[in-house]
């Protein structure tokens, strides 16, 4: 029997824990994840590993590319693998109450991530500003959005700078004891002891620069997202106004076109009527008959009667105009 303090491997029958599309391995005192066994069930898209003794996810965890929902809360996970971004189908990630200080840059590949909970983790100040408080569901949704955007836009030179700064801090931490001993034994070695201090200062500056670059990025990204949303709203309002104006203008155009077409038809009919009267008045029956043939049958009689009445009135008016006032 293993003692309580031993980190013995706990074997779990994964097949018994699989129900439909979910695999529940919570409260199993696992120190290692049975990745191969889980991957053998291709239908599993929901994995619950909460409340175990996990310190890391192992090397092959990224092969579980079908996962949509992952719960790793209440463990002792100190870091996530660099290829964690290969879980591109992931939409819900719970990392509540772990020991994470930072996240891998491959988070930028998790374009479908909509929920990220990082409460209870000792994150660096830069990552705290990016992630936020995660106290409500909306905060967790915003944390997922900000984290993916920041990691997707993170420049490689900043990554290299952070890596160099971490290496310098590790070297100085390893050589701190030997430098302290050398300063105690050699009385005149004061000048040499200042070099490690200078190196430490440089390493701190590099780390600080990396943090500053990382902290500036989310502010710009957040501002750009806010300004982008504001400009998008303004552009939508402008488009709506343009549509309304165009609709009003289209109605006016239609009315003006209808009025113009009716006026043109009236003028055409009037000119035809005048021509008919002229031909009849000046005794050109051949031309009048030819023009009458082009008039539709249903309107022919009406037009002829009207023109005859008009002709008689005109002739009467002309005869009255020509006769002297004495005869009247």
């Amino acid at each position: 029997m293993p003692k309580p303090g031993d980190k013995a491997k706990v074997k779990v029958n994964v097949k018994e824990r699989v129900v439909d599309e979910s695999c529940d391995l919570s409260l199993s005192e696992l120190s290692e994840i049975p990745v191969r066994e889980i991957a053998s069930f291709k239908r599993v898209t929901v994995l619950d590993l909460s409340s175990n003794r996990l310190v890391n996810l192992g090397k092959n965890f990224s092969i579980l590319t079908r996962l949509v929902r992952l719960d790793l809360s209440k463990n002792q996970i100190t870091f996530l693998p660099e290829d964690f971004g290969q879980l591109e189908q992931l939409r819900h990630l719970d990392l509540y109450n772990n020991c994470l200080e930072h996240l891998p840059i491959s988070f930028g590949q998790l374009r479908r991530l909509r929920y990220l909970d990082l409460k209870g983790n000792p994150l660096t100040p830069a990552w705290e500003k990016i992630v936020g408080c995660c106290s409500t569901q909306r905060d967790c949704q915003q944390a997922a959005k900000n984290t993916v955007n920041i990691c997707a836009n993170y420049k490689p030179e900043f990554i290299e700078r952070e890596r160099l700064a971490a290496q310098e801090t590790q070297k100085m931490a390893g050589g701190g004891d030997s430098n302290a001993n050398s300063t105690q034994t050699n009385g005149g070695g004061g000048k040499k002891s200042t070099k490690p201090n200078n190196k430490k200062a440089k390493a701190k500056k590099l780390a600080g620069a990396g943090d500053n670059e990382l902290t500036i990025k989310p502010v710009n990204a957040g501002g750009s997202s806010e300004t982008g949303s504001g400009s998008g709203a303004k552009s939508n309002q402008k488009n709506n106004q343009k549509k309304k104006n165009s609709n009003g203008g289209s109605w006016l155009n239609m009315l003006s076109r209808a009025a113009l077409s009716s006026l043109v038809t009236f003028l055409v009919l009037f000119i035809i009527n005048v021509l008919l009267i002229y031909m009849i008045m000046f005794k050109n029956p051949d031309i009048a008959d030819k023009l009458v043939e082009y008039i539709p049958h249903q309107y022919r009689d009406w037009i002829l009667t009207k023109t005859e009445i008009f002709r008689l009135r005109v002739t009467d008016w002309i005869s009255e105009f020509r006769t002297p006032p004495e005869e009247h």
Side-chain angles (χ1 to χ4, degrees), residues 24-68:
D24 188 0
L25 296 176
S26 60
L27 299 169
S28 300
E29 297 185 357
L30 293 174
S31 58
E32 291 184 4
I33 302 173
V35 178
R36 299 292 181 184
E37 289 81 354
I38 297 170
S40 63
F41 296 93
K42 295 182 179 181
R43 67 178 184 274
V44 172
T45 57
V46 179
L47 180 59
D48 188 355
L49 291 166
S50 60
S51 301
N52 283 292
R53 296 185 298 170
L54 300 174
V55 179
N56 55 56
L57 303 184
K59 296 180 180 180
N60 298 322
F61 188 81
S62 58
I63 66 174
L64 302 175
T65 55
R66 295 183 180 86
L67 291 181
V68 177

Side-chain angles (χ1 to χ4, degrees), residues 115-282:
Y115 183 94
L116 177 62
D117 191 355
L118 283 165
K119 292 192 300 291
N121 285 277
L123 297 172
T124 59
W127 283 107
E128 282 183 356
K129 289 183 180 180
I130 295 170
V131 174
C133 57
C134 293
S135 58
T136 61
Q137 184 175 2
R138 182 176 292 180
D139 293 338
C140 294
Q141 292 173 355
Q142 190 64 34
K145 184 178 179 180
N146 291 342
T147 305
V148 172
N149 289 334
I150 295 303
C151 292
N153 297 323
Y154 199 51
K155 295 182 180 180
E157 54 265 24
F158 300 152
I159 303 171
E160 185 67 18
R161 187 180 295 176
E162 277 194 347
R163 188 179 65 80
L164 293 174
Q167 289 180 358
E168 289 291 336
T169 52
Q170 288 178 0
K171 287 180 181 178
M172 301 321 302
D177 297 335
S178 62
N179 290 327
N181 293 327
S182 64
T183 53
Q184 289 179 359
T185 54
N186 297 326
K191 293 181 180 180
K192 293 182 179 178
S193 63
T194 57
K195 292 182 179 179
N197 293 327
N198 292 331
K199 290 183 178 179
K200 287 182 180 180
K202 289 180 180 179
K204 288 180 180 179
K205 285 181 181 179
L206 289 172
D211 290 337
N212 290 331
E213 293 290 348
L214 191 58
T215 53
I216 290 169
K217 194 71 177 178
V219 174
N220 292 334
S224 63
S225 62
E226 290 176 0
T227 54
S229 62
S231 62
K234 290 180 180 178
S235 63
N236 290 329
Q237 291 178 357
K238 289 181 180 179
N239 291 329
N240 292 329
Q241 290 178 356
K242 287 181 180 179
K243 287 180 179 178
K244 289 180 181 179
N245 294 330
S246 64
N247 290 330
S250 63
W251 281 106
L252 291 173
N253 292 329
M254 290 175 66
L255 291 173
S256 62
R257 288 176 183 175
L260 183 63
S261 61
S262 61
L263 180 62
V264 169
T265 53
F266 174 77
L267 290 174
V268 169
L269 291 174
F270 180 77
I271 291 168
I272 292 171
N273 198 358
V274 170
L275 288 173
L276 286 172
I277 293 168
Y278 177 78
M279 295 301 172
I280 294 170
M281 285 177 65
F282 286 91

